[in-house]
Amino acid sequence: MGILLGLIRGRAIHRLFAGLILSFAASAAIAACAVDRVDLRGEFGTVRFRTELALTPEQQQRGLMFREEMARLSSMLFVFPRARERTFWMRNTLIPLDIIFLDDTGTITHIHDNAVPLDETVIPSDGPARAVLEINAGLAADLGLAEGDELRSPAMPQDGAAWACE
């Protein structure tokens, strides 16, 4: 009888550990994509940025204006309803930025390095862009980001995404 109870307890413990492992795996899959961060991958490897979303016209108009600093691996992701030629400028933006344009699939199509604070010169996407990621100036080059690299975010359309959330 003692051996039988030991086996039952052993199976119960096995089920408990299996459940914990499955729960952990599910949490890891959920953690792979979150609205407060974006992941980029390319030949350089992968990098994760904390991000703020700019989804409404009001949020997109304000962007990063009037901010005096941004943490090194922070960003702002602008997601638009459809891809089209986009233009940005640095009006009332106090920190230098790299502006990264992305297509419908989340693939980088153009990087504008070192946008100058307060400069009102128009910065074009050089083709249709569905989204724009702003990061601290110089990081795109430091990390080795390039056209063709891919972004993953639940804020981006997942159908046809080059790197979809799981």
Side-chain angles (χ1 to χ4, degrees), residues 46-119:
T46 61
V47 63
R48 175 168 285 169
F49 287 90
R50 284 211 141 309
T51 198
E52 293 178 53
L53 294 176
L55 303 176
T56 68
E58 296 78 21
Q59 292 168 332
Q60 292 167 350
Q61 184 176 7
R62 182 164 179 91
L64 292 169
M65 288 182 175
F66 308 110
R67 299 198 190 178
E68 295 181 5
E69 62 185 11
M70 184 168 61
R72 178 169 163 72
L73 289 176
S74 291
S75 65
M76 180 169 277
L77 179 64
F78 299 74
V79 180
F80 301 97
R82 66 184 189 290
R84 68 173 177 81
E85 182 73 27
R86 302 281 170 198
T87 56
F88 274 60
W89 62 5
M90 297 290 286
R91 175 181 284 172
N92 299 321
T93 305
L94 307 175
I95 53 178
L97 298 171
D98 288 342
I99 301 175
I100 301 168
F101 297 91
L102 304 122
D103 67 13
D104 282 318
T105 69
T107 302
I108 296 175
T109 57
H110 177 65
I111 299 172
H112 180 88
D113 292 329
N114 290 310
V116 178
L118 305 173
D119 187 359

